[in-house]
Amino acid sequence: MANDADGTDGTDDLAYAADRGRGILTPSDREFLLGRKTDYTDHSKKQKRNRIRRRLRNAILDFTILFESLEDRDRETVFNPDAADREAYTRGITDMLAFLHLGTMGYYTPFKDMLAEGVNKAEQELAGSDYRMVTVDFNVEPVGQIDVDAVIDKLERGAFDQLTDEELQAFVRLLAESEDFSATDLRADMKAQMSEFVERIDAANERRDRRVDELND
């Protein structure tokens, strides 16, 4: 994603804040990577990149210590940001996973295997037992061409359960890129219908619960 001239893309001020405290990157590292500071010689640029790479490698190794030794309350505090910052942290977590996925392409252990093992270790930590075992499914399937007529036919019939995730993603993307589509108008229309939609969901849930009670009597 392209950045604006000031080094941000306009969607996440916290990540790009100049006065944010040091993380893996120092404030100077951020200024360098965002192109805010350009008075580097070729030699100093090379040194800067080398230092960033070394810190990244050490940060990866640090996660073994964090997983094994950081107290639960400290971890929970890290992942409980203020409401105003939640979007920025959510994006940071998403970008961290994207960075790991890109960085481990060609790595001798596939990303999906490390992801599965990591989730299993977390589940065992929660259970306090290595007998806790889960199956983790992770597949990357490209979204191909969709049959627009078939999708519209399903929508007109109300056959929403027949829509695949791939069809939904591709259709929404096509809709958003259409010149006749207005996200602002859609937002207003959707908000106007949401109350009725929620009422129908609640009514369906109540009918289901009553039916279960009747069957159990």
Side-chain angles (χ1 to χ4, degrees), residues 6-22:
D6 65 351
T8 75
D9 62 8
T11 62
D12 188 330
D13 292 335
L14 181 60
Y16 301 100
D19 58 350
R20 184 164 60 84
R22 175 174 176 168

Side-chain angles (χ1 to χ4, degrees), residues 78-89:
V78 169
F79 289 95
N80 185 28
D82 294 335
D85 298 333
R86 287 174 186 166
E87 184 176 348
Y89 280 99

Side-chain angles (χ1 to χ4, degrees), residues 167-192:
E167 287 176 333
L168 283 172
Q169 291 180 40
F171 189 75
V172 171
R173 182 68 177 267
L174 288 171
L175 186 64
E177 293 177 351
S178 170
E179 293 182 358
D180 296 328
F181 174 80
S182 170
T184 301
D185 292 343
L186 180 63
R187 187 201 306 268
D189 292 340
M190 291 288 285
K191 283 188 174 181

Side-chain angles (χ1 to χ4, degrees), residues 206-217:
E206 290 175 3
R207 286 194 299 270
R208 181 263 182 197
D209 291 341
R210 285 198 301 270
R211 183 58 177 156
V212 170
D213 291 339
E214 292 170 359
L215 293 172
N216 289 332
D217 285 344

Side-chain angles (χ1 to χ4, degrees), residues 98-217:
F99 184 80
L100 291 173
H101 185 42
L102 280 176
T104 55
M105 286 185 178
Y107 192 64
Y108 74 96
T109 301
F111 175 76
K112 66 177 183 178
D113 291 348
M114 292 184 286
L115 178 64
E117 183 176 352
V119 172
N120 266 291
K121 288 181 69 173
E123 288 292 321
Q124 290 170 0
E125 176 70 18
L126 286 171
S129 170
D130 58 5
Y131 283 94
R132 167 67 172 172
M133 292 176 285
V134 297
T135 300
V136 180
D137 294 321
F138 174 78
N139 293 295
V140 180
E141 299 292 341
V143 176
Q145 182 175 348
I146 66 167
D147 186 334
V148 176
D149 289 330
V151 173
I152 292 176
D153 288 343
K154 292 177 184 178
L155 292 174
E156 289 180 339
R157 297 198 314 271
F160 306 115
D161 58 335
Q162 295 179 15
L163 290 168
T164 66
D165 290 343
E166 291 77 14
E167 287 176 333
L168 283 172
Q169 291 180 40
F171 189 75
V172 171
R173 182 68 177 267
L174 288 171
L175 186 64
E177 293 177 351
S178 170
E179 293 182 358
D180 296 328
F181 174 80
S182 170
T184 301
D185 292 343
L186 180 63
R187 187 201 306 268
D189 292 340
M190 291 288 285
K191 283 188 174 181
Q193 298 178 47
M194 183 55 67
S195 295
E196 181 181 353
F197 180 71
V198 171
E199 288 176 0
R200 290 180 179 179
I201 291 176
D202 290 342
N205 290 336
E206 290 175 3
R207 286 194 299 270
R208 181 263 182 197
D209 291 341
R210 285 198 301 270
R211 183 58 177 156
V212 170
D213 291 339
E214 292 170 359
L215 293 172
N216 289 332
D217 285 344

Side-chain angles (χ1 to χ4, degrees), residues 57-67:
R57 283 184 169 175
N58 279 302
I60 290 171
L61 297 175
D62 281 341
F63 275 99
T64 295
I65 299 172
L66 290 171
F67 177 75

